[in-house]
Amino acid sequence: MNDAVRLDSLKPGDTCRLHDIKANDATAQRFMDLGLIPGVEIKVVRNAPLVDPVELLVKNNYVSIRHSEARRLEVIPLCRR
Amino acid sequence: MPEIVIAVAGQPNSGKSTIFNMLTGLRQFAANYPGVTVEKRVGRLDYSGHKFTLVDLPGTYSMTSYSLEERLARDFLLNEKPDVILNVVDASNLERNLVLTFQLLEMRMPMVVALNMMDAAENAGIEIDVERLSKKLGVRAVPTVAKKGIGKPELCDALLKAYECRDEANDFRLDYGPQLNRSLEVLEEALAGDSRASGYDPRWLAVRLIAGDNEISRIFAD
């Protein structure tokens, strides 16, 4: 999919659909435990551009992850402000 | 009268400790997991002539072997073989909490699900068909609001029933889709005659092996 971007490039208020997790380790497992499963819709709630974390809304859950981790999530942007 | 050992398992912030305190009335003491400094809380409860010993496991999002807490919780279940697992879930966050529930069910041990924070779920407009959920999971689900002490007798009753029916196999089977189901069957068959697989549920082993679980892969390393 060539319109996929990394999650950390999105801005607060943007929504996207998770396309792929570029990891295959404990972090990937934790992503999935927190509901970050390919196909799920994600909204970027807050994003501190230089310092961590990035806050996401996944289903009914607020999930905070590091920028370094957000980079490993490939997403399809849905609605950009 | 034998002591009934109950392991309390759940995700972080599911109200696990509140349930633990509701059941034991805070009559708990702390113990350490052997070899590490993570605290294990143990409490006791008498219910209709039975003695329950509750062990509060560390909160984990899942039961893989990636983190220390997960390994501790899992090793306790696999090695100590408690009589019943009490899985505490946040009813207002059911979908995410069920990830752990499924993994626990796959270990095929007697289990009860406490649907905790039912008040928060109701406030959020979430309706849970408890009967149907119980049927689908193959174990009893009990609505609770532990911080208000709601659901204690029902929960105790369910725990006792789970203990009494401990020899009835739970037929819960997660559908992984045709492709993975086939692979799991093949692997299960291969494991059936392997002495290293004894003491584990073959389906659970197969799932863990396909998931690339290091601890479990090590058992079959050579």
Side-chain angles (χ1 to χ4, degrees):
Chain A
M1 192 93 56
N2 43 13
D3 47 354
V5 298
R6 290 163 165 185
L7 181 62
D8 69 330
S9 67
L10 300 193
K11 302 267 174 301
D14 290 349
T15 56
C16 59
R17 192 173 299 284
L18 182 57
H19 176 60
D20 197 8
I21 300 173
K22 293 289 175 199
N24 189 21
D25 57 5
T27 311
Q29 177 67 46
R30 181 55 57 86
F31 281 154
M32 292 188 283
D33 293 342
L34 294 171
L36 290 164
I37 291 160
V40 80
E41 205 176 300
I42 302 169
K43 181 176 186 181
V44 179
V45 180
R46 279 185 294 186
N47 185 1
L50 294 171
V51 284
D52 287 324
V54 186
E55 190 179 25
L56 309 171
L57 181 60
V58 187
K59 300 266 169 98
N60 287 328
N61 276 314
Y62 288 93
V63 178
S64 291
I65 62 173
R66 299 181 184 94
H67 280 277
S68 61
E69 293 163 342
R71 261 204 303 279
R72 299 164 78 178
L73 295 172
E74 233 179 50
V75 298
I76 314 289
L78 292 176
C79 156
R80 275 191 149 149
R81 289 214 304 193
Chain B
M1 189 64 68
E3 215 170 69
I4 304 170
V5 179
I6 294 163
V8 187
Q11 293 194 347
N13 303 316
S14 58
K16 221 162 41 68
S17 296
T18 320
I19 287 274
F20 181 90
N21 290 343
M22 173 177 82
L23 291 175
T24 61
L26 267 168
R27 283 176 289 128
Q28 93 250 346
F29 53 89
N32 275 340
Y33 287 97
V36 286
T37 53
V38 175
E39 218 174 56
K40 169 175 77 172
R41 297 200 308 156
V42 178
R44 294 186 204 287
L45 158 77
D46 293 335
Y47 178 73
S48 76
H50 294 266
K51 289 198 181 308
F52 291 165
T53 297
L54 279 85
V55 180
D56 197 6
L57 299 178
T60 56
Y61 287 107
S62 66
M63 277 289 160
T64 58
S65 60
Y66 283 120
S67 72
L68 177 63
E69 292 78 22
E70 290 179 9
R71 278 200 298 278
L72 280 173
R74 194 170 86 175
D75 288 350
F76 182 85
L77 297 178
L78 290 175
N79 302 333
E80 307 295 318
K81 298 222 186 315
D83 295 305
V84 183
I85 299 175
L86 171 54
N87 174 214
V88 181
V89 308
D90 173 359
S92 69
N93 209 334
L94 197 54
E95 188 171 340
R96 195 192 73 195
N97 276 253
L98 284 177
V99 172
L100 178 67
T101 304
F102 289 161
Q103 292 178 351
L104 292 170
L105 284 170
E106 283 185 326
M107 295 173 95
R108 283 186 178 264
M109 297 165 80
M111 188 163 126
V112 169
V113 173
L115 288 168
N116 198 29
M117 307 194 205
M118 277 299 273
D119 54 343
E122 275 160 30
N123 289 341
I126 299 165
E127 255 180 76
I128 298 175
D129 186 338
V130 180
E131 196 96 333
R132 186 137 173 250
L133 182 67
S134 296
K135 205 163 274 177
K136 287 252 178 197
L137 297 177
V139 297
R140 288 162 70 98
V142 181
T144 60
V145 186
K147 68 166 190 249
K148 293 180 187 159
I150 297 172
K152 181 176 173 178
E154 293 82 1
L155 197 54
C156 291
D157 203 49
L159 289 169
L160 189 56
K161 285 217 170 75
Y163 173 73
E164 285 166 344
C165 306
R166 62 191 175 282
D167 295 327
E168 283 171 31
N170 175 8
D171 56 3
F172 175 85
R173 249 177 130 75
L174 200 57
D175 185 357
Y176 286 93
Q179 215 174 343
L180 270 177
N181 282 342
R182 183 74 201 116
S183 306
L184 286 168
E185 276 167 35
V186 171
L187 204 46
E188 262 180 85
E189 270 169 47
L191 290 167
D194 194 316
S195 60
R196 292 169 296 186
S198 73
Y200 298 103
D201 180 77
R203 167 103 174 170
W204 181 78
L205 273 184
V207 169
R208 293 318 311 154
L209 284 170
I210 285 184
D213 191 301
N214 285 332
E215 298 274 305
I216 299 302
S217 301
R218 208 169 296 150
I219 302 173
F220 301 94
D222 32 270

